[in-house]
Amino acid sequence: MTDKKLVIGVALPPLIVIAYSLLFKVDPITTLLHLSPYFTLSFFLAYLASNAVASVRDALLAKVPYSVAFKARLLGNAVGLVIPGALGGDLTRAVVYSKSVKLKLDEAFAISTVSAFYDVVIGSLMYLLLLIVQPRPLDVIFTLVALANILFWLTVIGYFAGTAGGKKNRLERLIFEKLRNYPEIERAYFRAKEIIKTKNTPLRVLQFSFLTVAEFAIQAMPLVYLFKHNYLVALLVNQLYFVSLLILIPAGSVSSEFALSTVLPPNLAISLRTLELVAFALGFVFIKEINLKHIQEELRRYGEVFKRAQPRTGG
């Protein structure tokens, strides 16, 4: 079943692009070839530059070498094409961090989650603030997506940071009473809370938020070419596309095409979408950074816990 889901995840983005092309009678190859080579080059350079800035934040968060953070970010983006959400990009980055600096996987995942928090919350807030530039009726759909993600992440991260270092509350006592045979899970949970708290001091929040804004600002620069040199509109469209990717479908299939179609003609929408998929896929050159043996060794601790907790049968 897992293999089937993986195949579907891999196949879905290109299939949706093909379906969209057929629906609007667009030849994606011809359309791409008709794009200005300067636009195409600037698109990929901006993609790499924006990830380079985000990797500064990630390196500071994870305390890993910058090269490790950069590879982890590009590879995480690539895996996110196939597996959406925390189990895609965030877990991939955590695995790379864990391998690099010998962090426990749960600690690395907590750090990667903090990085995702800044991307989602700052990226969504930028979209909401930019709506005044060019409001449209269909914006209400993505406004709800952005608000839901902001509320979710602020609640989760706020709860973890606000309750770190304290005694178990009533809910936690209830949960871990049922998981009393799994002490490693409990320890990992409270380590994660402490990490999230220490990584979100007021100064760091300001610093990481600035780097995240810079990340998106750079990412939007090539789109100025498509919107008559209006940078604010280009930035709004960039953030609209980002918010569309927050819908938990591999690579934001369907939602991203729909979002781009609200602001661009079909030929440009499909071209931009195709370029984005290719850019994300570039990260697979670092696939060897994921060491399956290392992951198995990290997870074996939990496997032993679960095995120990199995009820005994027989005499």
Side-chain angles (χ1 to χ4, degrees), residues 236-250:
L236 169 61
V237 172
N238 187 74
Q239 300 314 115
L240 168 65
Y241 182 80
F242 170 77
V243 170
S244 74
L245 296 179
L246 297 179
I247 298 173
L248 293 180
I249 306 172

Side-chain angles (χ1 to χ4, degrees), residues 36-61:
S36 165
Y38 298 107
F39 171 75
T40 303
L41 178 61
S42 66
F43 182 90
F44 285 107
L45 289 176
Y47 173 76
L48 293 173
S50 64
N51 280 278
V53 171
S55 298
V56 174
R57 180 197 63 209
D58 295 351
L60 292 172
L61 272 167

Side-chain angles (χ1 to χ4, degrees), residues 116-310:
F117 162 75
Y118 283 98
D119 277 332
V120 174
V121 172
I122 299 299
S124 297
L125 282 173
M126 288 175 68
Y127 169 68
L128 295 177
L129 291 172
L130 286 162
L131 283 175
I132 193 173
V133 174
Q134 196 179 80
R136 297 176 307 275
L138 288 175
D139 286 333
V140 66
I141 298 171
F142 297 102
T143 296
L144 292 174
V145 173
L147 288 173
N149 275 276
I150 291 169
L151 180 61
F152 171 79
W153 281 92
L154 287 178
T155 300
V156 171
I157 296 298
Y159 172 79
F160 271 56
T163 59
K167 295 180 179 179
K168 296 178 190 174
N169 58 40
R170 184 177 179 180
L171 177 61
E172 290 170 341
R173 286 197 301 271
L174 178 63
I175 292 172
F176 288 112
E177 176 62 26
K178 295 182 179 294
L179 296 174
R180 59 183 176 274
N181 292 320
Y182 311 119
E184 281 86 347
I185 292 178
E186 182 176 340
R187 284 195 288 269
Y189 172 79
F190 286 103
R191 278 198 302 268
K193 288 177 71 171
E194 195 61 37
I195 287 170
I196 288 172
K197 178 181 179 180
T198 58
K199 298 295 182 181
N200 285 294
T201 61
L203 182 59
R204 289 188 174 194
V205 168
L206 185 63
Q207 181 184 31
F208 296 152
S209 296
F210 173 79
L211 288 169
T212 308
V213 170
E215 168 196 355
F216 288 117
I218 293 170
Q219 199 175 81
M221 286 180 178
L223 302 185
V224 172
Y225 173 82
L226 302 179
F227 296 101
K228 299 179 180 178
H229 304 289
N230 189 327
Y231 178 73
L232 286 179
V233 173
L235 185 57
L236 169 61
V237 172
N238 187 74
Q239 300 314 115
L240 168 65
Y241 182 80
F242 170 77
V243 170
S244 74
L245 296 179
L246 297 179
I247 298 173
L248 293 180
I249 306 172
S253 297
V254 181
S255 60
S256 56
E257 285 85 2
F258 172 71
L260 290 174
S261 296
T262 65
V263 292
L264 288 168
N267 62 323
L268 288 179
I270 202 65
S271 295
L272 198 58
R273 175 63 171 155
T274 304
L275 287 176
E276 190 75 21
L277 290 175
V278 172
F280 273 50
L282 292 175
F284 281 121
V285 300
F286 300 118
I287 194 65
K288 290 184 179 180
E289 295 296 321
I290 299 180
N291 187 322
L292 293 179
K293 183 178 180 181
H294 171 72
I295 298 173
Q296 289 172 346
E297 290 173 352
E298 281 291 318
L299 294 177
R300 189 172 292 124
R301 294 180 298 114
Y302 299 97
E304 290 172 353
V305 171
F306 285 107
K307 183 178 179 181
R308 185 171 66 244
Q310 293 298 316

Side-chain angles (χ1 to χ4, degrees), residues 14-29 266 270 274:
L15 285 176
I16 295 300
V17 169
I18 292 170
Y20 183 95
S21 301
L22 292 173
L23 178 64
F24 290 97
K25 299 179 181 179
V26 174
D27 181 351
I29 303 299
I270 202 65
T274 304

